[in-house]
Amino acid sequence: MKAVVYNGPRDVSVKNVPDARIEQPNDVVVKITTTNICGSDLHMYEGRTDFKPGGVFGHENTGEVVEVGPGISRIKKGDQVSLPFNIGCGFCKNCEAGLTAYCLTVYPGMAGAAYGFAGMGPFPGGQAEYLRVPYGDFNCLRLPEDAREKQDDYAFLSDIFPTGWHCTRLAGLQPGESIVIYGAGPVGLMAALSAMIQGASKVMVVDRHPDRLALAEKIGCIPIDDSKASPLEQVLAQTRGKGADRGCECVGYQCHEPHGREIPNLTMNNLVGSVRFTGGIGVVGIFLPKDPGGADQFAKQGEIAFDMGLFWFKGQSIGTGQANIKHYNRHLRNLIHAGRAKPSWIISHRLPLDQAPNAYQHFDARDDGWTKVVLKPAA
């Protein structure tokens, strides 16, 4: 089968790899119909992780079940399914508590597993024609009868829509509160959509790319361009000097100041300054224990100079970590089915699998108009 293979920093190609197949009784094989390029893929694409050459990318996967193992009882051939990027067993202590991002079974010695993701197991990704799904009965979310019609919306259930929602929950957002979101990439835009659905009174989105800020404004958010003035000053001006009630970090450890210099602690410290006393901050932008390509010795060890004094003085709280996709995806699926959410508004490009290398180059460069790429292996 064909798949997007990582060859080394900023070098991917579409190659033939061994076919996905049933390896355990509880496996299913899914024919991938839509798979997305995620901002998280860029960390690996740029060589900023320990992702090994020869591995297959792709953790945002949607498709049709074409084969089931003898231990599968619920999922059937022909089912249209969304696949959470984090692979859970369904029966360990963490999975039973709904913490499927931290499964204790699937990848022994590590809490958590994922498709095509650095440090999260040997599982090939779904930027391919087919994907093996372990514990298929648990991990496959069946989609309703409009699965093909709304495929591009349901494609966001595997990661970024639940992750954006998760960030607002980590921040503690309540209806009627204001929120500032740092980063108008796909996850930040999903956090903005989630905040709008949850009844936030004011949603401010900080970025510097006009095309991304325009997408935020399109759904009623207030765009804040941090290349034109201090984002802290702009947020304070929007909140009568108090700061937002809640804040979301949707950038991660590779954040840059407007002139392109990487400053790993920039968004975290900006959030401390942008959020009011006793406010909450949610962090879903990726921060890693090791970053060999880090800007300084702190960054190389996964550390940042955090404004702990002001954070403590303001009595703020922080929630962090990967989204437990299965905690949210059923409910968000229903919002899409009912027409209450249409996350596909951020898609800029729908491309066949063989155009993935070119798409990675444009998306990584943040070229104008390349806001979200979905790949169609079955096209």
Side-chain angles (χ1 to χ4, degrees):
M1 68 178 188
K2 293 181 179 180
V4 177
V5 175
Y6 175 70
N7 302 313
R10 289 187 166 89
D11 180 7
V12 297
S13 56
V14 178
K15 298 180 179 179
N16 286 315
V17 301
D19 289 345
R21 60 183 179 84
I22 300 295
E23 297 180 18
Q24 298 293 333
N26 53 19
D27 288 348
V28 306
V29 173
V30 173
K31 180 181 181 180
I32 298 297
T33 52
T34 302
T35 179
N36 312 331
I37 298 179
C38 179
S40 301
D41 291 325
L42 297 183
H43 299 303
M44 297 179 285
Y45 173 73
E46 294 172 3
R48 294 290 291 269
T49 70
D50 61 358
F51 196 82
K52 300 295 187 293
V56 176
F57 281 158
H59 59 271
E60 297 185 17
N61 305 311
T62 307
E64 178 181 342
V65 176
V66 294
E67 190 176 358
V68 300
I72 294 294
S73 60
R74 184 179 68 89
I75 296 300
K76 310 297 182 188
K77 289 184 183 179
D79 283 348
Q80 300 290 314
V81 294
S82 172
L83 306 169
F85 81 85
N86 29 50
I87 310 168
C89 67
F91 54 77
C92 73
K93 178 181 179 180
N94 285 347
C95 283
E96 286 187 344
L99 303 173
T100 54
Y102 302 93
C103 176
L104 300 171
T105 302
V106 175
Y107 184 32
M110 174 69 179
Y115 306 101
F117 212 95
M120 299 195 73
F123 307 98
Q127 289 175 14
E129 294 179 296
Y130 296 91
L131 179 69
R132 170 191 166 234
V133 180
Y135 299 98
D137 274 335
F138 181 68
N139 287 302
C140 292
L141 175 71
R142 269 197 297 241
L143 300 175
E145 62 276 6
D146 58 359
R148 289 183 173 85
E149 174 192 346
K150 295 184 175 182
Q151 175 95 172
D152 287 348
D153 292 304
Y154 290 126
F156 287 76
L157 291 172
S158 57
D159 181 0
I160 64 170
F161 192 12
T163 294
W165 194 281
H166 181 59
C167 197
T168 65
R169 303 321 311 141
L170 289 173
L173 178 67
Q174 297 295 319
E177 290 188 325
S178 62
I179 188 168
V180 59
I181 296 163
Y182 275 79
V187 169
L189 291 170
M190 289 299 103
L193 174 63
S194 300
M196 296 295 288
I197 292 172
Q198 293 173 47
S201 60
K202 181 176 289 190
V203 180
M204 296 160 282
V205 179
V206 180
D207 206 291
R208 64 197 61 129
H209 296 280
D211 54 340
R212 296 181 174 193
L213 290 172
L215 287 171
E217 192 171 19
K218 189 174 181 179
I219 60 167
C221 302
I222 298 169
I224 292 179
D225 187 338
D226 71 347
S227 69
K228 294 182 176 179
S230 163
L232 278 68
E233 292 177 2
Q234 294 184 71
V235 172
L236 291 175
Q238 288 284 344
T239 57
R240 299 183 179 181
K242 296 180 179 179
D245 295 305
R246 309 289 166 181
C248 288
E249 206 290 347
C250 299
V251 181
Y253 70 107
Q254 285 186 255
C255 53
H256 295 73
E257 51 86 43
H259 299 293
R261 183 166 60 97
E262 187 171 307
I263 306 176
N265 62 351
L266 182 64
T267 54
M268 288 300 299
N269 287 342
N270 277 344
L271 275 163
V272 172
S274 300
V275 172
R276 65 167 170 82
F277 280 72
T278 71
I281 296 170
V283 183
V284 295
I286 289 181
F287 289 84
L288 297 176
K290 298 285 185 182
D291 175 20
D296 54 39
Q297 289 305 311
F298 277 114
K300 292 180 190 298
Q301 299 301 317
E303 300 172 357
I304 62 172
F306 180 61
D307 198 347
M308 185 67 196
L310 184 59
F311 171 72
W312 182 91
F313 188 70
K314 294 179 79 170
Q316 294 171 340
S317 59
I318 291 182
T320 70
Q322 292 186 353
N324 305 294
I325 300 300
K326 283 183 64 66
H327 184 70
Y328 305 103
N329 64 356
R330 215 171 271 272
H331 305 293
L332 301 185
R333 175 199 65 186
N334 295 344
L335 284 176
I336 292 170
H337 181 56
R340 295 291 303 280
K342 190 174 177 60
S344 64
W345 109 93
I346 72 169
I347 294 175
S348 58
H349 294 77
R350 297 168 176 84
L351 302 173
L353 191 69
D354 61 8
Q355 292 189 31
N358 184 55
Y360 265 96
Q361 289 181 353
H362 285 290
F363 190 46
D364 181 54
R366 276 68 170 178
D367 286 340
D368 187 57
W370 288 78
T371 52
K372 184 65 175 178
V373 179
V374 298
L375 303 173
K376 302 287 187 177

